[in-house]
Amino acid sequence: MRKIINKPENFVDEMVEGILLAHPDQLKTPGDDRRILVRADAPVAGKVGIVTGGGSGHLPLFKGYVGKGLASGVAIGNVFSSPSAQQCFEATKAVDGGRGVLYLYGNYGGDVFNFDLAADLAELEDIETRTVLGRDDVASQPKDRKHDRRGVAGIFFAYKAAGAAAERGDSLEQVAAVAEDVVEHTATMGIGLAPTILPTTGEPSFVLPEGEMEVGIGIHGEPGFHRGPLETADEITERIVAALVADLELTDGDRVAVLVNGLGATPLEELYVMYRRVHQVLQDLGVTIERRYIGEYATSLEMAGASISLLALDDDRLALLDAPAASPFFQEV
């Protein structure tokens, strides 16, 4: 294992400390537990708060989307591990501006369990909560079981839309409805080429023979649905886009936002090679790309691979994507 770390057990806390030292004008911790980060101006009176959370190792996912026009706070777990219920609850209290709090996070069992417990604790404090789960990974379950799908990079779109709705003053029910609408119209699929090495164990997150790829892999190394010889960039992209188009039932005249996401060790140049083919395929289908995002939006430490997300757009979703937002890891002006 070759990583730029100190003691593995201190990795997450030292990373969070670095983020706080680097961005004191945008983020703060509301108490002594540095596993909870909130906007520097939290709580914002009269606005719905948004709390997310999950395991570390996915930056900028989760903690990187805390900021104006995005999430209000985050509960931070160990690498690939859920934050505690108490941490989720403390984040909830820290961002409550009097109009309730939306829980918006990926559909993983430990996270669901602990956020549900946090919601019970919040109820005792008269804080109203709602929950929307990111569940955009089309490879993890068939469409007739889409509510059981994993949440991966496409949750970025939900953060952006829900954050914009909260910023403009929408009610808790309205913000939750916006997030749910975006989740319902988002589809993602990823491909893995090489695993990450977990800092606490020194073990790979999955094993893949030399020269092979795993299509449909999850952001923790969960198995995909196809393993075989590495294909060309165009073949990989065509395979993924075909699945996303079918899942969203896109047709001539539809509009989308595209996210081509690196999983941690894939050069930006390769992501643009993939985007080139995404653009060509969708153009041939008569689908208009209104907005495009290329880079690292949800990683898995140093996993080699990429994912593609599509969000089917209407005028309302596009306006929410275009609303101003700012965090240390993302900005829309």
Side-chain angles (χ1 to χ4, degrees):
M1 182 174 71
R2 287 178 287 185
K3 291 180 178 286
I4 303 175
I5 61 175
N6 296 309
K7 292 181 179 180
E9 62 269 25
N10 296 336
F11 171 63
V12 174
D13 291 323
E14 291 178 346
M15 174 266 298
V16 173
E17 182 182 6
I19 291 174
L20 285 167
L21 291 171
H23 306 288
D25 57 327
Q26 293 178 280
L27 298 172
K28 66 181 181 181
T29 185
D32 295 331
D33 189 348
R34 287 190 172 177
R35 297 297 185 94
I36 303 160
L37 297 181
V38 298
R39 286 170 47 165
D41 60 352
V44 180
K47 300 286 180 71
V48 170
I50 300 174
V51 171
T52 189
S56 295
H58 304 298
L59 266 176
L61 189 58
F62 305 127
K63 64 188 76 65
Y65 297 117
V66 173
K68 293 183 179 180
L70 296 162
S72 314
V74 61
I76 303 165
N78 286 323
V79 174
F80 297 177
S81 299
S82 301
S84 71
Q86 188 65 34
Q87 288 166 334
C88 298
F89 173 53
E90 294 298 331
T92 305
K93 291 194 296 182
V95 306
D96 177 37
R99 297 192 67 194
V101 175
L102 173 66
Y103 292 156
L104 178 57
Y105 58 93
N107 188 20
Y108 297 93
D111 296 329
V112 172
F113 182 81
N114 286 328
F115 268 100
D116 283 353
L117 289 176
D120 292 339
L121 294 172
E123 186 177 8
L124 296 175
E125 298 277 343
D126 295 321
I127 301 173
E128 189 176 7
T129 63
R130 293 290 184 276
T131 297
V132 174
L133 299 178
R135 48 184 194 277
D136 53 304
D137 188 349
V138 303
S140 59
Q141 293 290 348
K143 194 168 184 178
D144 61 358
R145 292 188 59 193
K146 64 181 181 179
H147 288 282
D148 295 325
R149 287 174 171 173
R150 300 182 294 244
V152 285
I155 198 174
F156 160 76
F157 293 130
Y159 289 142
K160 187 68 189 63
E167 205 70 36
R168 72 187 179 190
D170 285 14
S171 69
L172 178 58
E173 294 291 347
Q174 290 170 324
V175 174
V178 163
E180 182 65 30
D181 172 70
V182 169
V183 168
E184 283 289 316
H185 291 88
T186 301
T188 301
M189 184 180 288
I191 175 174
L193 304 180
T196 182
I197 304 299
L198 301 176
T200 52
T201 66
E203 297 296 325
S205 54
F206 62 95
V207 177
L208 189 64
E210 187 71 26
E212 292 197 354
M213 64 178 187
E214 180 122 15
V215 181
I217 198 164
I219 58 171
H220 307 100
E222 298 96 335
F225 64 87
H226 170 80
R227 178 175 286 193
L230 179 62
E231 298 173 352
T232 67
D234 284 359
E235 289 169 336
I236 291 168
T237 304
E238 289 162 10
R239 177 195 287 270
I240 294 175
V241 172
L244 303 183
V245 166
D247 194 83
L248 294 173
E249 300 179 5
L250 297 175
T251 60
D252 187 3
D254 284 339
R255 306 148 64 198
V256 297
V258 175
L259 169 61
V260 179
N261 171 64
L263 288 173
T266 301
L268 191 57
E269 290 88 344
E270 294 179 19
L271 300 182
Y272 275 99
V273 172
M274 293 182 72
Y275 175 76
R276 156 194 159 275
R277 189 59 184 147
V278 174
H279 186 101
Q280 293 168 348
V281 171
L282 293 178
Q283 186 176 55
D284 290 344
L285 293 173
V287 175
T288 299
I289 300 174
E290 296 278 8
R291 298 292 180 270
R292 53 207 55 81
Y293 305 86
I294 299 96
E296 290 186 347
Y297 289 77
T299 64
S300 184
L301 294 173
E302 76 275 27
M303 184 193 295
S307 65
I308 300 171
S309 303
L310 299 182
L311 167 63
L313 288 176
D314 59 14
D315 289 344
D316 290 339
R317 292 178 211 126
L318 181 58
L320 291 163
L321 282 189
D322 286 346
S327 84
F329 298 86
F330 177 81
Q331 184 164 336
E332 185 84 57
V333 296

